[in-house]
Amino acid sequence: MAEVGRYDAGLRQELCAYYRWGLSVMIDEKTYKTQDINQMCRVLEGSNYMRDFVEDPSGKISSVNFTRLPTGKRRKS
């Protein structure tokens, strides 16, 4: 995937789109502002995160929460 500066262009575009759509963005329970895009890219790149889309009472998506996934080795059953 193409890079913008040091960061993945797709990730940057995704984060910018969330703000254009009026969504708030949280990473590991910390809320980030639009001007924090570079910091958000640094936090998200190199780790596995799950996106949780949160609805407001009317059912409209109001925020995106990124939760870090565990990176330990899976045990065999």
Side-chain angles (χ1 to χ4, degrees), residues 6-77:
R6 290 182 16 228
Y7 304 112
D8 181 279
L11 177 59
R12 179 180 292 282
Q13 289 174 347
E14 176 185 356
L15 294 170
C16 288
Y18 293 147
Y19 286 113
R20 278 195 315 272
W21 298 333
L23 305 179
S24 64
V25 177
M26 291 183 69
I27 302 172
D28 294 327
E29 300 182 15
K30 178 182 176 188
T31 302
Y32 285 81
K33 298 182 179 359
T34 308
Q35 61 267 26
D36 296 331
I37 294 282
N38 285 337
Q39 182 181 2
M40 293 166 60
C41 287
R42 281 192 299 272
V43 170
L44 292 170
E45 285 189 335
S47 297
N48 292 319
Y49 279 85
M50 176 177 63
R51 290 152 182 82
D52 292 313
F53 295 91
V54 180
E55 296 178 351
D56 65 14
S58 69
K60 180 181 173 188
I61 295 175
S62 61
S63 67
V64 181
N65 296 345
F66 287 82
T67 304
R68 186 187 308 252
L69 298 174
T71 57
K73 291 184 179 180
R74 293 177 59 173
R75 293 187 296 181
K76 292 184 180 180
S77 301

